Amino acid sequence: MDTIHWLENPDCQDAAVVGGKAANLGKLAETHPVPPGFCFTPEKPGPRGLSPDLYDELVAAYANLAVRCGTPEVRVAVRSSAVDEDGQQTSFAGLHDTYLNVTGPGAVAAAVRRCLASARTPRAQAYRQALGLPEEADVAVLVQQLVVADVSAVVFSADPRTGARDRVVINATWGLGESLVGGTVTPDLYIVRKCDLEILSRQIAEKTCMTVATADGVREVPVPGCMQREPALDNAQIRALADLARTLENSQGWPVDLECAYQKGRLYLLQCRPITTV
């Protein structure tokens, strides 16, 4: 069985093989702005990590990705993609490890090992037990080119608070998405009417911290004072995100929860999963 599955290939669309996160992105990679990458699906790594053969396959795939991205050592995001993750009833949000701004084959292999191990933590296993899922998780790992975001956003094609299906809800903040999804920053809130993309309301938050890329990973830093009360998104970006959510809801057949980023004005799709609360 192959252990490397490139996002744009059909074999990266089967959630039973590559997990929910990678499969959802694999289905969209050819038609939407998904960063290039691959999914690594080892068969039951031993307690000490990857075998020499698996390590070599992973290193070769990382070198291939670097060539595709036109750089000797590409900066990547390393994230889990469990078989039952990002489904319509189970999200596993925040339960498995994510590593951002990882560079070099050794560091990527170490991040992959830690991602695989995170599926066996007591917290992750307790979540599985509470949902009646099998104790042993089949976990793949998604390795993608890092988008060094100027702005990160989480976009819902329905209101997750009320269940209203006629509006799009957008949270946005400066920098990489870790501060946003980790809850350490209060983001801007934008509400958009779904039918015509009319912006119904804006709540511009005082965004005091943000996550940035550093020489050896990421860290959270203060937002410059002049940016804290500035909107993270302009009107065109708000409507573009709402339109993307509307389009993906129609194509997927369920209300979507997206993670997106803007880098130098360009929109990227980083995650697409069902809203489990609607």
Side-chain angles (χ1 to χ4, degrees):
M1 177 179 173
D2 292 337
T3 58
I4 302 297
H5 309 269
W6 293 93
L7 276 176
E8 71 275 13
N9 292 343
D11 64 348
C12 202
Q13 298 180 16
D14 185 352
V17 175
V18 299
K21 183 183 282 104
N24 290 343
L25 286 177
K27 294 170 185 174
L28 302 170
E30 282 196 58
T31 54
H32 290 80
V34 176
F38 62 88
C39 195
F40 179 61
T41 57
E43 289 187 19
K44 306 294 183 188
R48 296 189 179 184
L50 305 176
S51 69
D53 287 346
L54 287 175
Y55 178 87
D56 289 345
E57 286 188 56
L58 178 60
V59 168
Y62 173 73
N64 189 343
L65 179 61
V67 170
R68 293 181 182 211
C69 296
T71 181
E73 288 194 336
V74 60
R75 296 197 281 183
V76 297
V78 180
R79 300 184 289 164
S80 71
S81 182
V83 165
D84 38 21
E85 188 173 357
D86 285 359
Q88 296 197 44
Q89 282 76 44
T90 58
S91 72
F92 286 85
L95 287 176
H96 298 156
D97 286 352
T98 291
Y99 298 93
L100 301 179
N101 199 22
V102 183
T103 308
V108 170
V112 166
R113 284 194 295 267
R114 290 194 293 269
C115 262
L116 292 168
S118 71
R120 300 191 295 272
T121 62
R123 191 166 66 118
Q125 290 188 325
Y127 180 83
R128 300 184 67 82
Q129 185 177 22
L131 292 176
L133 299 172
E135 184 177 335
E136 284 295 318
D138 290 328
V139 179
V141 180
L142 183 59
V143 179
Q144 283 181 283
Q145 182 181 24
L146 178 73
V147 175
V148 185
D150 304 308
V151 177
S152 293
V154 173
V155 187
F156 302 95
S157 69
D159 193 327
R161 304 162 301 177
T162 66
R165 300 286 295 270
D166 62 344
R167 58 192 57 200
V168 176
V169 177
I170 302 171
N171 293 126
T173 193
W174 303 116
L176 299 171
E178 287 300 277
S179 296
L180 177 55
V181 299
T184 60
V185 65
T186 301
D188 294 348
L189 173 63
Y190 307 93
I191 307 295
V192 183
R193 189 162 56 208
K194 191 184 293 183
C195 63
D196 59 3
L197 303 182
E198 177 70 21
I199 301 171
L200 300 176
S201 68
R202 299 174 180 81
Q203 294 179 25
I204 308 306
E206 185 175 1
K207 301 171 287 293
T208 57
C209 63
M210 62 181 180
T211 303
V212 299
T214 64
D216 56 355
V218 298
R219 66 187 176 99
E220 199 166 70
V221 300
V223 173
C226 62
M227 296 171 59
Q228 290 183 6
R229 295 291 302 177
E230 287 294 307
L233 298 169
D234 62 31
N235 287 352
Q237 291 172 325
I238 294 167
R239 291 192 178 99
L241 289 168
D243 187 41
L244 178 63
R246 183 175 66 177
T247 299
L248 289 175
E249 179 181 88
N250 288 338
S251 67
Q252 301 303 300
W254 26 259
V256 295
D257 169 358
L258 311 179
E259 288 185 23
C260 299
Y262 275 101
Q263 181 184 22
K264 297 181 179 178
R266 183 178 178 186
L267 172 61
Y268 292 89
L269 175 62
L270 307 181
Q271 184 164 284
C272 175
R273 64 187 179 192
I275 303 176
T276 57
T277 58
V278 174

